[in-house]
Amino acid sequence: MNIFQPLAVFTKDDNGNYDGYSPNVKGAFSYGKTIAEATANMKEAIEGVMETALEHGYNGVLMDSGYKGEEGEIVIPIPVEKRLCVAASIHLARERTGMNQEEFARKIGINRETVCRYERGKRMPSADTFLEILEAV
């Protein structure tokens, strides 16, 4: 299982400002006069989109991305709350297996509601359960 890592892609406009978007958090955009300001704004945007996705269902908002960037782009990993990364990682790993929450829960020996809580960031798995999840995917 890969740990979900949000990315930001920035380009510098003609006025020297930075515009950005996230290739793996759909709907996260940012702007700043400096790269530091644009990055801070992107962190806030990504966390907001991820919180909404966790609460209301992912619906294709978060995706795996190995995006490396193109010429003229600045690609930066954006650190976000660990609970958001764990929740997104579990969700994306389960999706990759093609299992629904019920099937996934059965495979790792827990109930569906617990999987739902993990994927929503409402509960963190124990170390033992996290290892079971790793083995399941």
Side-chain angles (χ1 to χ4, degrees):
M1 178 170 82
N2 297 326
I3 300 300
F4 181 75
Q5 176 64 67
L7 298 175
V9 178
F10 296 103
T11 54
K12 200 170 186 177
D13 68 18
D14 294 337
N15 297 319
N17 298 309
Y18 292 88
D19 294 313
Y21 72 96
S22 176
N24 59 344
V25 181
K26 194 173 178 182
F29 298 93
S30 169
Y31 173 84
K33 292 182 180 186
T34 65
I35 194 71
E37 180 184 11
T39 302
N41 291 341
M42 182 61 79
K43 176 179 170 44
E44 189 176 322
I46 286 173
E47 286 183 340
V49 170
M50 288 180 74
E51 285 285 357
T52 301
L54 290 173
E55 191 60 35
H56 300 288
Y58 290 87
N59 296 324
V61 172
L62 306 178
M63 54 210 97
D64 290 319
S65 174
Y67 190 75
K68 303 291 184 210
E70 296 179 10
E71 189 174 332
E73 293 181 331
I74 303 165
V75 180
I76 301 174
I78 302 295
V80 296
E81 287 181 51
K82 298 288 186 233
R83 129 188 116 73
L84 296 175
C85 286
V86 169
S89 298
I90 292 170
H91 172 76
L92 291 170
R94 179 184 59 77
E95 276 193 338
R96 277 192 300 275
T97 68
M99 289 185 263
N100 63 34
Q101 288 180 340
E102 187 69 40
E103 294 164 333
F104 193 68
R106 249 191 324 257
K107 185 165 184 170
I108 60 176
I110 60 177
N111 65 48
R112 188 204 61 79
E113 185 58 36
T114 301
V115 171
C116 182
R117 287 186 183 123
Y118 292 160
E119 290 187 8
R120 289 181 146 206
K122 300 290 185 197
R123 184 174 175 187
M124 294 289 283
S126 68
D128 288 341
T129 302
F130 196 72
L131 290 174
E132 291 287 333
I133 291 168
L134 290 175
E135 290 173 8
V137 297

